[in-house]
Amino acid sequence: MFTGIITDIGEVRELEQSGDLRARIVTDYDTQSIDIGASICCSGVCLTAVALGSDWFDVQISAETVSKTNIASWSVGYRVNLERALKVGDELGGHIVSGHVDGQAEVISVKDEGDSTRVVLRAPKALARFIAPKGSVALNGTSLTVNEVDGCDFGINFIPHTKVATTWGDVEEGDRVNLEIDTLARYVARLAEMS
């Protein structure tokens, strides 16, 4: 369980395909405080630490996960939003995020508005119904508030802090980002289907 509040930007140091994909991610986290088997949210994907070094951790990624996320576009040097798992007593500053990606959204436009940046994304049709104005979504692991919705398109506004503290300062049109819909929206929709 995560909050969508990014606490580090990691960088992919190595990628190795042997059975599953294995990625080595450089981090500023104190890796001595990470246990083997710990869950770390990597750009919205809950992954398991399988090896540790002085400034890195390795994760093993199944073909299923690669097929459902933007991990197929990772390369050496790729920057990754990181969040460690929520601990009892931690501040819940974003919203409840599971790290189970529902699909990918495509960045349709990027436009500066004052010091902030307005980004419009297009969600897959099957997921668009779960996205509501002023609701929450997790994009590449970041808890964000939806500004407006128009069919499958929805807008997000990034303040300067978010652009510096996450990889959102690098966003470009055409990027594919990991999308996790709000858990509450999922259950409300399911209840509506049942009635």
Side-chain angles (χ1 to χ4, degrees), residues 111-119 147 157-158 163:
K111 179 180 169 189
D112 288 334
E113 293 182 354
D115 292 333
S116 297
T117 301
R118 174 67 55 116
V119 176
N147 289 328
N157 194 49
F158 293 95
K163 293 188 291 184

Side-chain angles (χ1 to χ4, degrees), residues 14-189:
E14 296 176 18
L15 291 166
E16 179 186 344
Q17 185 72 56
S18 58
D20 289 334
L21 177 65
R22 189 172 175 123
R24 177 159 295 171
I25 299 172
V26 177
T27 182
D28 284 335
Y29 291 148
D30 174 6
T31 56
Q32 291 183 15
S33 69
I34 299 173
D35 293 328
I36 297 294
S39 294
I40 300 176
C41 196
C42 302
S43 285
V45 185
C46 178
L47 297 173
T48 302
V50 297
L52 300 166
S54 61
D55 66 345
W56 56 265
F57 62 93
D58 282 359
V59 291
Q60 194 168 355
I61 310 163
S62 72
E64 171 72 10
T65 299
V66 172
S67 74
K68 300 289 188 226
T69 67
N70 68 3
I71 290 175
S73 67
W74 287 12
S75 58
V76 172
Y78 187 85
R79 292 172 11 112
V80 182
N81 289 326
L82 298 177
E83 181 186 0
R84 295 189 59 186
L86 183 65
K87 294 178 183 166
V88 174
D90 284 353
E91 181 178 317
L92 183 61
H95 72 284
I96 297 295
V97 175
S98 68
H100 303 160
V101 173
D102 294 297
Q104 296 178 59
E106 181 182 356
V107 175
I108 302 303
S109 69
V110 178
K111 179 180 169 189
D112 288 334
E113 293 182 354
D115 292 333
S116 297
T117 301
R118 174 67 55 116
V119 176
V120 176
L121 301 104
R122 182 163 294 144
K125 188 174 183 179
L127 298 176
R129 67 189 186 108
F130 296 106
I131 301 172
K134 306 309 172 199
S136 296
V137 292
L139 296 172
N140 279 352
T142 312
S143 174
L144 297 162
T145 302
V146 175
N147 289 328
E148 74 281 332
V149 177
D150 181 14
C152 291
D153 296 353
F154 63 100
I156 303 287
N157 194 49
F158 293 95
I159 62 172
H161 171 79
T162 305
K163 293 188 291 184
V164 170
T166 71
T167 61
W168 285 103
D170 304 334
V171 68
E172 296 179 351
E173 287 183 22
D175 285 353
R176 304 219 26 107
V177 300
N178 295 321
L179 167 64
E180 180 182 330
I181 58 172
D182 182 47
T183 300
L184 181 60
R186 183 188 329 263
Y187 286 114
V188 167

